[in-house]
Amino acid sequence: MTQVEAPAWTPMSAEEREAFDRDGYIIVPSVLSESEIEAGRAAILGYYEKAKAEGKLSATGALHQLSPIAYVPELAFLLDHPKAFKYIWSLLGWNIHVYHSHIDVHPQLHEKQKEWWHWHQDGGRQNREIETDPRPMLSVKLAYWFSDVSETGRGNFTVLPGSHKTNWLPGPPSRGVPWPQPEGAVQITANPGDLVVFDRRIWHARSDNYSDITRVGAFFGYTPRWIAIRDEVADLPSRPEWDGKTEVQKQLLGGFGKGDGDHQWGHYPESTPLYGALKERGLLDSSIPALIP
């Protein structure tokens, strides 16, 4: 298990919150230590080689693996890394879990790709069936970088700043139609160990990687526990490594509580690990009171 340095828990700053609300994302440098970068990168690339041997890569040799903790349990330290997780509980509170996560490996492309439209918001049917404008945030995602994307054209996470409060973008009439990038799109540059925190509503895509640097990243999306988990993690509590998880990690992986709706709705905060951790440190958000039984 990767040992994580444990600094004191502190909420995100007012300046960070203002930037997040304005732009829909923030970049946090040097979140991971050198040893954490090395451990995470080795674990992801080790799984990549396994997937390659099993013929599970895309036609371009890329990997997009959902539910990574089920396949690469060594990455569990990223779930509640104190320098990153602070942004999640600051924005979403204590009654949360990871509902959607993936690891990505994108080696160099050797042929020019068509300019397909890959722009999207996270959340699937939430973006079709919730009628408000703008739609509610509902989830926040952490993107950890294990490769050098300090220059554009390296498979960079690409965003349209401020678009998290825009429900629709003018795009192609259907998938499979080449279409130019939206005006104002920005390729995020970052170093290994840096973190991007983003609102699931921000319109985003990935740039093509024509560099000789393989793109390696890990993404974890958090949401209230009353929203279903997309990841396939139901069998994790039966695995040997489960006992090594912290109580908060067990909550985040959907394995805490009796599986009843009332617990997921937040009716029992005192028996919810993250609530206890925040209460112990005096970090509960008093503006969001507990439910009355």
Side-chain angles (χ1 to χ4, degrees):
M1 179 183 297
T2 301
Q3 296 298 315
V4 178
E5 298 177 8
W9 286 37
T10 56
M12 67 189 300
S13 69
E15 293 77 15
E16 289 172 325
R17 192 179 288 271
E18 180 182 3
F20 185 86
D21 182 65
R22 180 188 66 237
D23 300 329
Y25 72 96
I26 55 172
I27 304 169
V28 189
S30 304
V31 163
L32 300 180
S33 67
E34 289 299 323
S35 62
E36 291 166 348
I37 296 169
E38 182 179 348
R41 180 179 173 84
I44 295 171
L45 292 181
Y47 181 76
Y48 176 82
E49 291 301 324
K50 180 177 183 291
K52 182 178 181 180
E54 295 173 353
K56 294 181 178 179
L57 304 183
S58 73
T60 60
L63 171 72
H64 177 66
Q65 179 62 62
L66 302 177
S67 314
I69 302 302
Y71 299 92
V72 193
E74 303 95 313
L75 297 178
F77 75 97
L78 298 174
L79 292 168
D80 58 347
H81 192 290
K83 291 183 179 179
F85 191 46
K86 62 187 264 184
Y87 298 101
I88 298 303
W89 55 258
S90 291
L91 291 163
L92 295 175
W94 54 269
N95 191 39
I96 57 172
H97 55 200
V98 172
Y99 80 114
H100 170 50
S101 56
H102 50 94
I103 51 175
D104 294 277
V105 179
H106 290 86
Q108 181 180 20
L109 292 169
H110 297 284
E111 296 182 3
K112 181 69 175 177
Q113 305 294 297
K114 289 185 178 179
E115 199 168 13
W116 301 116
W117 180 268
H118 296 298
W119 288 84
H120 65 284
Q121 296 173 306
D122 287 347
R125 297 299 304 178
Q126 292 173 351
N127 300 314
R128 298 291 185 273
E129 296 168 359
I130 295 177
E131 68 275 14
T132 60
D133 188 1
R135 288 181 283 266
M137 180 170 65
L138 293 178
S139 68
V140 176
K141 211 166 190 178
L142 301 179
Y144 292 95
W145 292 106
F146 294 95
S147 62
D148 184 348
V149 287
S150 60
E151 297 181 10
T152 60
R154 294 182 176 180
N156 304 68
F157 179 61
T158 306
V159 301
L160 194 61
S163 63
H164 57 304
K165 297 181 180 179
T166 300
N167 280 0
W168 301 102
L169 284 186
S174 63
R175 287 184 177 270
V177 177
W179 203 261
Q181 301 291 306
E183 185 177 354
V186 173
Q187 292 189 37
I188 301 299
T189 55
N191 294 306
D194 289 353
L195 176 78
V196 179
V197 185
F198 63 99
D199 185 321
R200 65 112 196 148
R201 299 171 296 176
I202 195 168
W203 288 87
H204 60 280
R206 169 180 46 82
S207 75
D208 290 327
N209 182 16
Y210 296 107
S211 76
D212 59 2
I213 297 175
T214 297
R215 174 197 196 248
V216 184
F219 298 75
F220 295 89
Y222 302 75
T223 200
R225 293 168 69 218
W226 38 265
I227 293 177
I229 293 178
R230 178 185 179 187
D231 284 354
E232 296 179 2
V233 293
D235 72 326
L236 291 187
S238 65
R239 297 190 185 183
E241 64 268 19
W242 184 255
D243 289 341
K245 302 286 190 295
T246 68
E247 293 304 294
V248 169
Q249 288 174 347
K250 291 177 181 178
Q251 173 186 326
L252 296 176
L253 291 170
F256 194 85
K258 300 178 181 179
D260 61 288
D262 277 355
H263 205 288
Q264 292 172 333
W265 275 29
H267 282 287
Y268 305 106
E270 296 293 347
S271 61
T272 304
L274 183 54
Y275 179 93
L278 293 173
K279 182 179 180 180
E280 177 185 344
R281 294 166 174 82
L283 293 171
L284 289 174
D285 187 347
S286 60
S287 70
I288 308 176
L291 295 172
I292 299 175

